[in-house]
């Protein structure tokens, strides 16, 4: 059974398209058949990521054609990867095609006509235009789940309330959730604990990450490969909560192994960098420690000289007029050396601290390596069993 998911937002810039792309990619990586539909006839957000496909294919099936009932039999759906297809908002922006759409009751049959195609997929994700548009009157009656993407600020909350007033009657019994997106570290500490407080139930708070912005800038799909493991885990959590159907859950649960592996790989890289930096700092500290011992030797020599002078003076071996200038000279040297010795003592303490850190990082590194090995064994066992089952099913036919 196909699950239909619509991503909504009260205003532009919330990161709705980024989340839609990330969810589609992750679900396809789980082995689920996914169709992403760009329903934004204004900015064509998701279509931007696949412009190269638009240039190489003819007679492309578009959302604009669907809602107007202008679907040609030869129209093709863009294939993104083994498990993911994509329907752009429009194939080409021209003066004639402005992207404006006014709802007509008879247009509902145009969506119904596409149901035979939509039902070839496990999940269909509609990336809707920000705010309220007439296209929502066509889409929302068919969706099972709606996800509102909003930023953690007062303007976003206000725009969500406005959106709800306009679409509340269309939603009927559809499940609707929200996520706070692009939260700073401080905001995350607050909003990650919020389950209510706005119009809808909050299910996740996604941290802001410059890697995600960079991926969007260069038209790379924001996933765990182009962004980070933490972001990938947050998108994973969203998919796991939204899509409860047993078959989909089984695929998502298996993917948890890959999510964990990515987290450990990322932490391992960070530890590598920290260990390299510590090794360099330890090398520099050892040089300072060498200077420390030479300074200690100098101080001991000065103290011995002063003691010797005192003995020589008391035994009338050294003349009084020479003793005091020499002592003053030695004291001056001593006072010049002592501050640097204190500084180097601090360095010795820092070396000890570095060694403690190095041991801690090394233990964590070994711990990660052990966990990765267990995950690898689990991964091979899980997916080998799946391959065997698939092979057995093929042999039955």
């Amino acid at each position: 059974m196909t699950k239909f998911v619509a991503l909504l937002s009260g205003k532009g810039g919330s990161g709705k398209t980024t989340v839609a792309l990330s969810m589609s990619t992750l679900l396809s990586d789980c082995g689920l058949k996914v169709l992403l539909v760009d329903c934004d006839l204004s900015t064509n957000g998701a279509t931007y990521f696949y412009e190269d496909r638009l240039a190489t294919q003819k007679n492309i099936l578009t959302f604009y054609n669907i809602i107007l009932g202008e679907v040609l039999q030869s129209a093709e759906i863009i294939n993104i990867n083994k498990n993911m297809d994509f329907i752009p908002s429009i194939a080409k922006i021209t003066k004639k095609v402005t992207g404006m759409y006014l709802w007509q009751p008879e247009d509902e049959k145009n969506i119904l006509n596409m149901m035979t195609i939509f039902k070839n997929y496990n999940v269909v994700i509609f990336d809707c235009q920000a705010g309220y548009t007439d296209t929502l009157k066509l889409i929302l009656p068919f969706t099972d789940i709606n996800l509102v993407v909003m930023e953690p600020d007062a303007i976003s909350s206000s725009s969500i309330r406005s959106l709800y007033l306009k679409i509340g009657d269309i939603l009927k019994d559809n499940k609707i959730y929200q996520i706070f997106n692009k939260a700073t570290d401080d905001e995350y500490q607050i909003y990650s604990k919020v389950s209510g407080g706005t119009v809808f139930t909050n299910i996740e708070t996604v941290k802001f990450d410059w890697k995600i912005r960079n991926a969007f800038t260069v038209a790379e799909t924001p996933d765990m490969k182009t962004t980070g493991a933490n972001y990938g885990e947050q998108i994973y959590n969203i998919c796991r909560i939204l899509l409860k159907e047993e078959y989909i859950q089984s695929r998502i649960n298996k993917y948890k192994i890959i999510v964990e592996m990515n987290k450990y790989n990322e932490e391992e890289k960070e530890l590598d960098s920290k260990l390299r930096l510590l090794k360099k700092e330890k090398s520099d500290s050892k040089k300072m420690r060498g200077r420390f011992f030479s300074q200690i030797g100098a101080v001991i020599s000065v103290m011995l000289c002063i003691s010797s002078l005192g003995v020589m003076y008391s035994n009338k071996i050294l003349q009084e007029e020479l003793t005091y200038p020499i002592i003053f000279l030695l004291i001056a040297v001593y006072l010049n050396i002592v501050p640097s010795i204190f500084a180097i003592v601090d360095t010795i303490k820092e070396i000890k601290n570095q060694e403690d850190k190095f041991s801690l990082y090394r233990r964590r590194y070994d711990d990660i390596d052990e966990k990765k090995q267990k995950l690898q064994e689990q991964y091979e066992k899980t997916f080998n069993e799946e391959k065997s089952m698939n092979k057995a099913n093929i042999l039955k036919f």
Side-chain angles (χ1 to χ4, degrees), residues 59 83 169 387:
N59 299 325
N83 296 314
D169 292 339
K387 286 178 183 178

Side-chain angles (χ1 to χ4, degrees), residues 206-225:
V206 181
K207 282 188 177 182
F208 176 82
D209 189 334
W210 278 107
K211 291 179 182 178
I212 302 169
R213 176 70 62 84
N214 292 341
F216 200 97
T217 302
V218 297
E220 287 184 348
T221 303
D223 54 22
M224 283 188 285
K225 298 171 188 174

Side-chain angles (χ1 to χ4, degrees), residues 60-311:
I60 297 170
L61 179 63
T62 70
F63 178 67
Y64 192 68
N65 296 141
I66 292 171
I67 60 178
L68 294 182
E70 298 176 351
V71 179
L72 301 175
Q73 287 186 348
S74 59
E76 299 177 352
I77 296 178
I78 296 174
N79 177 248
I80 304 302
N81 59 45
K82 179 182 176 183
N83 296 314
M84 178 180 168
D85 291 336
F86 174 65
I87 295 179
S89 51
I90 54 178
K92 187 177 181 180
I93 299 174
T94 65
K95 289 183 179 180
K96 182 180 178 181
V97 181
T98 61
M100 292 296 293
Y101 169 76
L102 296 176
W103 178 80
Q104 301 294 331
E106 60 269 20
D107 289 344
E108 289 185 8
K109 69 179 185 299
N110 298 330
I111 297 290
L112 284 170
N113 290 337
M114 294 303 300
M115 282 299 160
T116 53
I117 293 177
F118 290 159
K119 290 190 176 180
N120 292 328
Y121 300 91
N122 299 121
V123 183
V124 175
I125 295 178
F126 296 107
D127 178 26
C128 301
Q129 187 172 328
Y132 175 79
T133 63
D134 272 14
T135 55
L136 294 181
K137 289 184 179 181
L138 288 179
I139 297 168
L140 294 183
F142 297 98
T143 57
D144 303 298
I145 302 158
N146 300 291
L147 178 64
V148 175
V149 182
M150 62 183 292
E151 294 173 87
D153 58 52
I155 295 174
S156 294
S157 297
S158 177
S159 66
I160 290 300
R161 292 187 182 93
S162 175
L163 177 66
Y164 181 70
L165 289 173
K166 295 172 182 176
I167 67 172
D169 292 339
I170 313 173
L171 292 173
K172 298 180 181 178
D173 296 328
N174 296 0
K175 294 179 180 178
I176 185 160
Y177 303 94
Q178 71 174 36
I179 62 169
F180 291 112
N181 193 29
K182 300 194 289 186
T184 64
D185 288 341
D186 289 340
E187 288 170 338
Y188 183 82
Q189 297 302 320
I190 299 170
Y191 286 93
S192 60
K193 300 172 184 176
V194 175
S195 59
T198 60
V199 181
F200 315 112
T201 301
N202 186 58
I203 60 170
E204 186 65 59
T205 300
V206 181
K207 282 188 177 182
F208 176 82
D209 189 334
W210 278 107
K211 291 179 182 178
I212 302 169
R213 176 70 62 84
N214 292 341
F216 200 97
T217 302
V218 297
E220 287 184 348
T221 303
D223 54 22
M224 283 188 285
K225 298 171 188 174
T226 57
T227 56
N230 183 63
Y231 176 72
E233 184 177 28
Q234 291 175 309
I235 296 298
Y236 171 84
N237 290 335
I238 293 168
C239 294
R240 183 176 55 81
I241 293 169
L242 292 181
L243 301 163
K244 297 294 188 182
E245 194 161 9
E246 187 177 346
Y247 174 73
I248 295 174
Q249 279 286 311
S250 68
R251 304 299 305 182
I252 293 175
N253 289 338
K254 288 179 182 178
Y255 195 75
K256 179 67 174 177
I257 300 171
I258 297 172
V259 172
E260 291 294 327
M261 185 69 80
N262 274 292
K263 285 173 63 180
Y264 288 135
N265 284 338
E266 192 168 284
E267 187 177 353
E268 198 172 59
K269 287 180 182 178
E270 291 176 0
L271 285 172
D272 274 333
S273 299
K274 289 178 179 178
L275 286 168
R276 282 196 298 271
L277 182 61
L278 275 176
K279 284 178 182 178
K280 184 179 181 303
E281 289 176 352
K282 283 177 70 176
S283 176
D284 294 340
S285 298
K286 283 179 181 178
K287 294 176 183 177
M288 292 191 70
R289 186 159 51 181
R291 288 197 295 271
F292 166 75
F293 289 116
S294 64
Q295 295 278 29
I296 288 291
V299 169
I300 293 171
S301 299
V302 169
M303 295 304 294
L304 287 173
C305 287
I306 292 173
S307 300
S308 300
L309 286 170
V311 172

